[in-house]
């Protein structure tokens, strides 16, 4: 997933949206809006206007990522993922804009073609504010919980982010998660041992389509991680 830098900051002064404030109904609405945003762009080659009659919460500043995956049976593969780390625009505008960025401007992939719309799923993640970790390796390991936290690693101009979904889907432990985020930032794998490197955590709430244009559900990443560990015999049901 990539974080985009906005061209300008919003002048909205309301309190940023916290993931815990977003109901499942609003989460589903944001996923539908993400898909509609890409469909609208195919038709008009312009960003979709903000829908009318939205819940006021969606008009408050909010940080969001949109993940698009190619869906093949039960298997999924990344098709694009881009977002805003900071709540610099109304939440709904963030989703509308980063959905288009994920579909057409993720540098890891070719721009999406219209024919793909029926074979991809959309996922929206709402981010909390960043919390800086302690500067010691032990403090940083204790600061992170797999399934709850995403990570940002930063040193100077180098910055990398991984959403909470990533360590769950890859079955990483905390040390691996920290190291992979360092690599994502373009730094050395054990950069998180260096007190000059800043490490931040953040929480998310995430909703995704179970299949293309299908039912939207909230992800329980802690439970996904537990089940994955059990499936591999790394965690007993009584643990």
């Amino acid at each position: 997933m990539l974080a985009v830098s906005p061209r300008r900051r919003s002048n909205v002064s309301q309190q940023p949206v916290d993931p815990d404030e977003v109901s499942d109904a609003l989460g589903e609405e944001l996923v539908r809006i993400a898909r509609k945003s890409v469909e609208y762009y195919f038709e008009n080659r312009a960003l979709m206007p903000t829908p009318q009659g939205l819940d006021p919460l969606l008009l408050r500043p909010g940080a969001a990522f949109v993940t698009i995956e190619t869906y093949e049976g039960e298997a999924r593969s990344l098709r694009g993922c881009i977002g805003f780390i900071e709540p610099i625009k109304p939440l709904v505008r963030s989703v509308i804009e980063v959905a288009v960025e994920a579909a057409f401007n993720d540098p890891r992939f070719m721009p999406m073609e219209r024919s793909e719309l029926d074979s991809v799923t959309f996922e929206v993640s709402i981010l909390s504010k960043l919390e800086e970790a302690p500067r010691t390796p032990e403090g940083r390991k204790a600061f992170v919980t797999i399934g709850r936290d995403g990570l940002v690693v930063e040193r100077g101009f180098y910055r990398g982010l991984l959403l909470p979904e990533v360590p769950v889907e890859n079955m990483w432990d905390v040390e691996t998660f920290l190291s992979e985020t360092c690599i994502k930032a373009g730094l050395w794998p054990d950069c998180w041992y260096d007190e000059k490197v800043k490490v931040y955590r953040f929480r998310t709430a995430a909703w995704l389509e179970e299949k293309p244009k299908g039912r939207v559900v909230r992800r329980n990443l802690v439970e996904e991680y537990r089940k994955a560990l059990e499936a591999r015999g790394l965690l007993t049901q009584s643990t």
Side-chain angles (χ1 to χ4, degrees), residues 12-177:
V12 177
S13 60
Q14 294 171 291
Q15 184 72 17
V17 175
D18 184 87
D20 291 343
E21 296 182 85
V22 185
S23 67
D24 287 346
L26 291 180
E28 178 177 357
E29 186 172 4
L30 288 171
V31 173
R32 303 299 186 199
I33 287 172
R35 177 177 282 278
K36 288 178 182 177
S37 175
V38 174
E39 293 172 344
Y40 185 93
Y41 193 85
F42 272 119
E43 294 293 334
N44 301 278
R45 291 296 162 179
L47 291 174
M48 184 176 80
T50 301
Q52 299 297 307
L54 293 175
D55 188 292
L57 183 141
L58 302 184
L59 302 178
R60 285 165 46 194
F65 271 69
V66 170
T67 302
I68 302 173
E69 294 182 309
T70 300
Y71 181 87
E72 298 174 327
E74 295 302 313
R76 299 172 187 260
S77 57
L78 184 64
R79 184 63 180 83
C81 182
I82 292 182
F84 290 133
I85 297 177
E86 298 176 1
I88 46 79
K89 296 187 178 185
L91 178 57
V92 66
R93 290 307 311 171
S94 294
V95 169
I96 287 170
E97 294 184 20
V98 299
V100 170
E101 292 292 321
F104 300 100
N105 295 318
D106 188 325
R108 297 167 292 183
F109 304 97
M110 295 294 292
M112 182 181 290
E113 297 182 4
R114 188 189 299 265
S115 60
E116 295 180 71
L117 280 172
D118 291 335
S119 60
V120 296
T121 58
F122 284 77
E123 178 175 348
V124 172
S125 300
I126 311 303
L127 281 62
S128 71
K129 67 180 181 179
L130 300 181
E131 300 175 86
E132 187 171 357
R135 295 299 179 103
T136 64
E138 290 304 317
R140 287 173 170 176
K141 286 194 292 184
F143 194 67
V144 178
T145 298
I146 300 295
R148 182 193 68 189
D149 300 323
L151 288 178
V152 173
V153 166
E154 182 178 79
R155 181 173 182 178
F157 294 108
Y158 294 92
R159 194 183 208 192
L161 175 147
L162 289 176
L163 293 172
E165 291 91 323
V166 177
V168 170
E169 293 167 354
N170 289 282
M171 295 295 298
W172 293 339
D173 58 18
V174 170
E175 290 190 28
T176 304
F177 188 21

